[in-house]
Amino acid sequence: EDAALLQRFQERIDAEERIEPNDWMPEAYRRTLVRQISQHAHSEIIGMQPEGNWITRAPSLRRKAALLAKVQDECGHGLYLYAAAETLGISREELVDQLLSGKAKYSSIFNYPTLTWADIGAIGWLVDGAAIMNQIPLCRCSYGPYARAMIRVCKEESFHQRQGYEIMLTLSRGTAAQKEMAQDALNRWWWPCLMMFGPPDAASQHTDASTRWKIKRFTNDELRRKFIDATVPQAHFLGLTVPDPDLRFDESTGHWTHGAIDWEEFRQVVAGNGPCNAQRMERRRRTEEDGAWVRDAARAFAEKEKSRHKA
Ligand code: FAQ
């Protein structure tokens, strides 16, 4: 690649200019974006499954309406993100093939089961809370279509986070059994949520390049720390205990220090061996097959329209 083009590109990034689809960009920048945006899109789509599991069993009409809207928003986020990835010159079909063949990843967090209603509260509070922490800086990402998609996505995530926290608040102030259910959900979701931010900085192969290109504005560990600092006081307000005996507030730094994260668990889940990986992929493949007739019909209709206009 031409050194002058590369230098000009980095100058535009350094000057906080947005890169748009028709602008020149290094192949590695394009590849990184396709990887990250498509993984993000796949996460939204696979992420509909754990919560979709509770739509028919929501405890009231109000809860059901909110959960339906949230899961529908996630589908919308997936579609904006696929569209943003397509501006980089890859088709939706290729992206979906990469997911179904196991070549593309999706977030580790969606491979854990939703066992009780409190899990719906914990997902909104913690998983969406983590998603917001990671996505607010992405609103300033150097690639225009991704940054713009993130603005609307973050607004919706903020509603999701509040609906989750409100479920947790209701359960924590409910009967002893309800409070116990909330605590159990926090126990199961806390550590996997910390893993959502990705491997520790020393093991993160993409952070350096992505930071230079201003795709990432913070490292994985920085965002994880911000999330812990924001979330621990919320757990205390709920009267719940964070399942980390080593958690301490460090007066000298103003941050919470935490116990060791089980990175072997993370590796296993990313490698496909988490509790629900097989189920999530099986469900996604079946849905793709079940929807084939809709795509066929749309294609046949488009062909018919084309020949009608020609005639
Ligand atoms: N799970 O070098 P890094 C949501 C992979 S929120 C699985 O640090 P990078 C909303 C990583 O891809 C969830 N794999 O990578 C919602 C790479 O492998 P590769 C989605 C992970 O990209 C809420 C390798 O490890 N959000 O969906 C994970 O610089 C509720 C090395 O890692 C996004 O995707 C993981 N947790 O930093 C929906 C946000 N972490 O690709 C429904 C956008 C890392 O070389 C319900 N993405 N890996 O094969 C990002 O910000 C970044 O991609 C990071 C990873 C921070 C996730």
Side-chain angles (χ1 to χ4, degrees):
E1 273 166 355
D2 195 280
L5 279 173
L6 266 174
Q7 192 191 339
R8 172 79 194 108
F9 175 80
Q10 191 60 46
E11 281 164 8
R12 292 190 60 198
I13 299 271
D14 295 343
E16 298 287 332
E17 274 180 45
R18 283 279 157 80
I19 307 301
E20 296 298 338
N22 294 328
D23 295 348
W24 185 86
M25 61 185 83
E27 260 323 291
Y29 177 82
R30 186 188 300 275
R31 256 198 323 272
T32 281
L33 280 169
V34 168
R35 177 184 63 79
Q36 177 167 328
I37 301 172
S38 67
Q39 289 179 0
H40 195 166
H42 300 326
S43 302
E44 298 280 358
I45 299 299
I46 297 281
M48 296 168 73
Q49 293 186 36
E51 290 168 288
N53 180 35
W54 278 91
I55 291 173
T56 56
R57 292 173 291 161
S60 70
L61 184 58
R62 173 175 166 264
R63 295 291 188 204
K64 185 173 176 137
L67 184 57
L68 263 173
K70 178 184 194 288
V71 174
Q72 205 162 36
D73 286 351
E74 281 150 12
C75 182
H77 297 173
L79 300 183
Y80 301 149
L81 286 163
Y82 282 130
E86 284 182 295
T87 66
L88 291 156
I90 187 163
S91 70
R92 176 87 56 104
E93 288 74 14
E94 281 174 86
L95 295 170
V96 171
D97 279 351
Q98 289 176 355
L99 172 68
L100 298 182
S101 70
K103 206 176 138 221
K105 295 192 166 91
Y106 59 89
S107 180
S108 51
I109 194 71
F110 302 116
N111 293 306
Y112 291 85
T114 41
L115 304 178
T116 73
W117 173 251
D119 289 3
I120 300 305
I123 289 181
W125 171 35
L126 301 170
V127 177
D128 287 275
I132 294 170
M133 210 43 104
N134 164 274
Q135 286 167 193
I136 291 280
L138 289 174
C139 297
R140 294 186 293 121
C141 153
S142 58
Y143 189 58
Y146 191 27
R148 289 188 290 273
M150 281 299 111
I151 296 173
R152 175 160 179 186
V153 168
C154 283
K155 287 187 179 151
E156 293 180 348
E157 301 287 25
S158 151
F159 154 71
H160 298 169
Q161 198 270 352
R162 283 166 213 211
Q163 71 85 41
Y165 195 71
E166 203 240 348
I167 291 173
M168 293 303 274
L169 196 59
T170 306
L171 291 173
S172 312
R173 290 179 177 173
T175 62
Q178 286 171 323
K179 185 165 182 185
E180 206 175 298
M181 208 192 272
Q183 180 64 55
D184 170 61
L186 172 58
N187 292 350
R188 286 180 291 106
W189 290 92
W190 177 255
W191 292 104
C193 277
L194 299 189
M195 296 174 197
M196 275 179 80
F197 294 92
D201 291 352
S204 163
Q205 75 242 40
H206 301 296
T207 293
D208 285 351
S210 290
T211 304
R212 188 157 23 87
W213 288 324
K214 299 195 175 168
I215 295 170
K216 275 177 138 169
R217 300 272 177 172
F218 295 97
T219 69
N220 299 354
D221 287 332
E222 283 167 352
L223 289 173
R224 193 169 8 251
R225 192 183 65 190
K226 277 168 175 279
F227 172 77
I228 294 172
D229 285 346
T231 311
V232 170
Q234 294 169 354
H236 292 164
F237 185 80
L238 294 172
L240 299 179
T241 307
V242 175
D244 177 357
D246 297 323
L247 193 70
R248 304 256 181 291
F249 188 70
D250 182 341
E251 295 283 351
S252 66
T253 60
H255 297 296
W256 291 86
T257 55
H258 60 86
I261 296 172
D262 181 356
W263 291 113
E264 181 50 28
E265 174 178 327
F266 175 73
R267 265 190 295 277
Q268 287 297 332
V269 173
V270 174
N273 305 320
C276 299
N277 296 60
Q279 181 189 330
R280 301 288 184 246
M281 289 303 293
E282 201 273 322
R283 179 82 186 271
R284 186 65 196 79
R285 286 200 187 97
R286 190 153 33 88
T287 306
E288 191 66 14
E289 283 161 23
D290 289 350
W293 71 272
V294 179
R295 293 188 298 278
D296 289 345
R299 216 171 286 129
F301 181 72
E303 286 299 323
K304 225 189 240 173
E305 285 289 285
K306 226 194 299 170
S307 53
R308 206 161 57 97
H309 285 303
K310 261 192 234 142

